[in-house]
Amino acid sequence: MGTVEGTLTAQSETLARTVVDSVIPMFPAVSPDGRTVVHTARPLAMPDRPASALWAVPADGGAPARRLTDGTTWIGAPRWAPDSAAVLFTTAGQLHRVRLAEDGGPDGPAEALTAWPGGIADHLPLADGRTVALIAAGEPGEPDGAEDDDVMVWTERTGPEPSARLRLLDLDSGAVRTVGGLGDRHVVEVAERPDGGMLAVLTWECAEEDPGSLTARLHLVDTATFTVHDLGPAGHAARRPVWWRAGDGWHLAHLATTPPGLVGSAAVLDRAVPADPGHQVPPEARDLTAGMTVCPTELLQVADGPPLAVFADGLDTALFRLDPGERRFRRLHTRQGIVHALTADRTGGTVAVLAGTAYEPKDVHAGPPDGPLARISDTRPEIRGLPWGSQERLSYKACDGLALDGLLLLPPGRTREDGPFPMITFAHGGPYGRYSDSWQFHIDLPPGQLFATAGYAVFLPNPRGGEGHGHAFAATATDGAIGGAEWTDITEGIDLLVAQGVADPGRLGIGGWSHGGYLAAWAVTQTDRFKAAIVGAGISDWGMLAATGEQGAVRESAGSGSVGWEGPGPHAHDRVSPISYASRIRTPVLILHGEDDTNVPVSQGVFLHRALRHHGVPHEFAVYPGEGHMIGGRDHLLDLLRRSLAWYDRWLTPQP
């Protein structure tokens, strides 16, 4: 594959290189005593051997951060020991521990705690301080490799990935015991009841997302007797199980797609845990978020209090706490833009998150859950002060009166009065995604600020089908109706900005990644108004995606409920697949795709490329070797940014 060199202006090249070569924070964790926050930091552009470093910083930001590891290996999510004296994490596939000294630095080198043949996928230090729950595949004595290890054997219901098992590591002896009562099910997550002794375990039928995420179940495991009780199905995409206590005893809540469909908002589902689970039937789960116009994104167990939660709220993000008496969530604090990776101390009085602003990328912020939260890490100081375009919040209505929102970026130093501008519209992914009022320089499409600083207006719409406005909004247009109202929601915003004199109707571009790539491909089959389009990892044929993508059943639901094996066509998914209308395309199209993408396989891009070639449509097709659904290599990232901007410059001609 040829690369694009020298196509950016000096300013755009500086911005692109500064961002690509920056370091990003990940995995914050507040110590149980609330005094310290650890987090990892890694290069944004991932090298062939991914690596990150573990850092510790006082939760009040009163002292500089201290590095705990050398940054030469990948550090998995860190978790604190119950006494706040040590941090456990995975690296090189095994569990390690580093103890903290009084000055906040490491008290000696990290020590390896396991040598498990299949590697440790996840871990949870338990309240007794002596035991760690491990999620790990493989068994002791298994060979490291065999001559036929490259043969992948699929059965009727499962793929080739081995299922992970629940193990318990005794820190004193190093002995590992396997919990056998879960059968062959794949263990996904574990949560310990705060008073110890009982684990909630989330499992899938197999390790593959399809059908695994469709078959999630919750179980109880008594760590003293290894007795296992099945609590029943947990729902599609179940995750984040948390314990909490009410007047009627212990409860288990978790996130899952709002029942009964596979597409729509996440919900917090809750059930009372029977006092005698061996003889009592667990009650049906109750949706604690029913009717809310915000969408839960994270759920956090608090040892000495009710759970905390993160909710997408339009262009903003809010922290909530569950009211145990009323069994509803109460808002604590709303913050502009995106907030994620919520963590808290034992009482829930100190929290840490990853958050940023419209003009600064995310960093670790900490404080009380009802705010304010102060930045305590500084992983990318070189980005502050760079010349970013202005960012404006938009509110408008769809043709049926539905309230919508989005963002408008303008070139640095320019205002609406300087328009009309050449304008690029970027559809978000998902479809259950959103744009928040945060720093808009995503390395996949759209790096909105890159295009704004190059002279473009950038429109980032939030059509129905996304998160942030409740389940009804999320499910309105996507469950078998993609490409309909979600698309007209976008065109209504474009028309408004043209009418207001912001956008030049003769210089409009469209683009997106993943589902946004689908909408870009769909757009150029519906209209000739766009002068250039970029389809990044986009869907051209929903039936083929349902058959080959890693989320097959979800894609089937989104793509009008058909796959192709239900009988001779025409199939319902053909009506919403861009490939069906490829003969209509007149807009020049740039197709970008990772060669090893398993979410949206590269065959989707090949199909569109061949159709465009057949119909004589100007286009380019760039495939990034070794890349998955998101591009990660430094040279590939720079090529993506250069190639994308060169494509729009070629067809739209930005303002000087």
Side-chain angles (χ1 to χ4, degrees):
M1 181 189 73
T3 59
V4 176
E5 295 287 350
T7 60
L8 301 186
T9 66
Q11 176 175 283
S12 296
E13 182 72 26
T14 296
L15 295 178
R17 286 180 176 272
T18 301
V19 173
V20 169
D21 290 335
S22 66
V23 172
I24 61 173
M26 300 177 66
F27 307 135
V30 182
S31 60
D33 63 12
R35 297 175 56 191
T36 308
V37 179
V38 293
H39 67 89
T40 66
R42 70 162 177 88
L44 185 148
M46 295 291 282
D48 293 337
R49 294 173 61 89
S52 58
L54 182 64
W55 293 79
V57 60
D60 62 5
R66 298 288 302 273
R67 194 167 72 174
L68 303 180
T69 64
D70 61 13
T72 60
T73 60
W74 178 258
I75 303 296
R79 305 188 196 281
W80 286 91
D83 61 2
S84 301
V87 179
L88 287 77
F89 57 91
T90 54
T91 188
Q94 300 300 327
L95 186 66
H96 287 66
R97 175 174 58 192
V98 62
R99 301 181 189 275
L100 271 68
E102 286 296 323
D103 63 0
D107 186 12
E111 56 180 318
L113 300 177
T114 63
W116 193 258
I120 307 301
D122 203 356
H123 68 284
L124 179 68
L126 301 187
D128 63 10
R130 304 184 307 274
T131 311
V132 182
L134 304 176
I135 298 177
E139 298 294 340
E142 284 188 351
D144 292 333
E147 292 182 0
D148 63 347
D149 272 357
D150 60 342
V151 178
M152 298 185 296
V153 180
W154 292 63
T155 65
E156 179 182 350
R157 293 287 291 168
T158 68
E161 291 297 322
S163 293
R165 303 285 184 253
L166 177 62
R167 333 275 184 173
L168 295 180
L169 166 66
D170 184 285
L171 290 173
D172 294 330
S173 67
V176 177
R177 298 178 63 191
T178 298
V179 176
L182 296 168
D184 292 332
R185 293 186 66 84
H186 173 64
V187 176
V188 180
E189 291 186 69
V190 178
E192 184 185 24
R193 200 172 71 190
D195 63 350
M198 187 72 73
L199 302 179
V201 182
L202 182 67
T203 70
W204 289 358
E205 180 180 276
C206 62
E208 282 63 48
E209 187 166 359
D210 184 358
S213 66
L214 308 174
T215 62
R217 299 184 74 87
L218 275 169
H219 315 264
L220 298 178
V221 174
D222 188 319
T223 57
T225 64
F226 277 29
T227 304
V228 176
H229 303 286
D230 186 1
L231 293 181
H236 170 245
R239 58 200 184 278
R240 301 292 185 96
V242 301
W243 291 88
W244 64 280
R245 191 154 198 169
D248 59 349
W250 287 105
H251 283 239
L252 262 178
H254 68 280
L255 292 174
T257 304
T258 302
L262 302 182
V263 179
S265 168
V268 177
L269 303 181
D270 176 72
R271 73 189 77 203
V273 177
D276 184 1
H279 297 87
Q280 294 174 273
V281 177
E284 292 292 322
R286 173 186 177 185
D287 184 354
L288 299 181
T289 48
M292 296 182 72
T293 56
V294 291
C295 298
T297 60
E298 297 180 16
L299 192 60
L300 179 70
Q301 180 170 309
V302 175
D304 296 341
L308 295 168
V310 179
F311 280 76
D313 183 8
L315 296 168
D316 301 318
T317 307
L319 298 183
F320 281 69
R321 176 181 282 129
L322 180 65
D323 183 323
E326 297 190 9
R327 300 189 185 182
R328 58 188 293 265
F329 284 94
R330 294 190 177 277
R331 186 185 298 259
L332 299 174
H333 175 63
T334 301
R335 185 182 175 94
Q336 173 185 330
I338 193 74
V339 172
H340 65 106
L342 175 66
T343 174
D345 66 0
R346 183 180 292 110
T347 67
T350 298
V351 302
V353 297
L354 296 178
T357 70
Y359 302 104
E360 291 187 357
K362 65 185 180 182
D363 246 313
V364 181
H365 289 66
D370 55 357
L373 303 179
R375 180 170 58 80
I376 62 170
S377 71
D378 195 8
T379 53
R380 293 195 268 186
E382 69 277 11
I383 287 176
R384 288 199 302 276
L386 290 175
W388 304 120
S390 64
Q391 187 162 301
E392 174 186 338
R393 299 161 70 104
L394 296 178
S395 297
Y396 66 101
K397 289 188 180 297
C399 55
D400 61 0
L402 183 67
L404 301 169
D405 59 37
L407 298 171
L408 174 67
L409 281 64
L410 295 179
R414 302 293 185 92
T415 68
R416 283 172 169 253
E417 286 67 34
D418 296 317
F421 300 90
M423 188 177 80
I424 307 170
T425 298
F426 288 108
H428 65 62
Y432 186 57
R434 66 161 177 153
Y435 291 116
S436 65
D437 192 9
S438 54
W439 188 59
Q440 297 298 326
F441 203 124
H442 307 286
I443 292 301
D444 56 357
L445 293 184
Q449 282 287 359
L450 178 68
F451 296 103
T453 56
Y456 293 95
V458 178
F459 175 41
L460 306 176
N462 283 323
R464 70 192 78 193
E467 70 177 353
H469 297 283
H471 177 63
F473 183 93
T476 298
T478 56
D479 195 359
I482 53 172
E486 65 170 343
W487 171 236
T488 58
D489 288 350
I490 293 173
T491 60
E492 290 286 333
I494 296 172
D495 293 342
L496 176 64
L497 292 171
V498 168
Q500 292 176 345
V502 174
D504 181 345
R507 292 188 294 168
L508 297 176
I510 188 78
W513 198 267
S514 193
H515 189 77
Y518 158 72
L519 284 170
W522 182 251
V524 296
T525 70
Q526 305 302 301
T527 177
D528 294 337
R529 72 189 301 189
F530 299 107
K531 304 307 178 186
I534 298 182
V535 176
I539 299 99
S540 58
D541 185 280
W542 283 100
M544 185 166 64
L545 183 67
T548 61
E550 61 192 19
Q551 299 178 17
V554 177
R555 302 307 189 184
E556 177 186 356
S557 178
S560 294
S562 72
V563 178
W565 53 55
E566 63 270 15
H571 302 287
H573 66 257
D574 293 331
R575 295 194 298 270
V576 292
S577 294
I579 203 68
S580 299
Y581 310 100
S583 62
R584 300 178 181 176
I585 300 176
R586 302 292 181 268
T587 301
V589 179
L590 171 62
I591 308 168
L592 304 171
H593 224 112
E595 184 180 35
D596 297 338
D597 192 342
T598 56
N599 189 321
V600 181
V602 70
S603 55
Q604 295 284 328
V606 173
F607 203 174
L608 181 58
H609 155 65
R610 291 183 176 178
L612 296 177
R613 183 178 62 188
H614 175 80
H615 292 292
V617 180
H619 74 286
E620 291 181 6
F621 181 28
V623 178
Y624 295 97
E627 300 284 5
H629 193 52
M630 298 302 174
I631 308 302
R634 181 182 185 276
D635 291 344
H636 291 163
L637 287 173
L638 288 172
D639 180 89
L640 184 150
L641 297 176
R642 293 169 179 151
R643 191 178 298 275
S644 299
L645 188 53
W647 187 255
Y648 288 125
D649 284 353
R650 175 180 174 184
W651 302 101
L652 300 183
T653 312
Q655 289 188 344

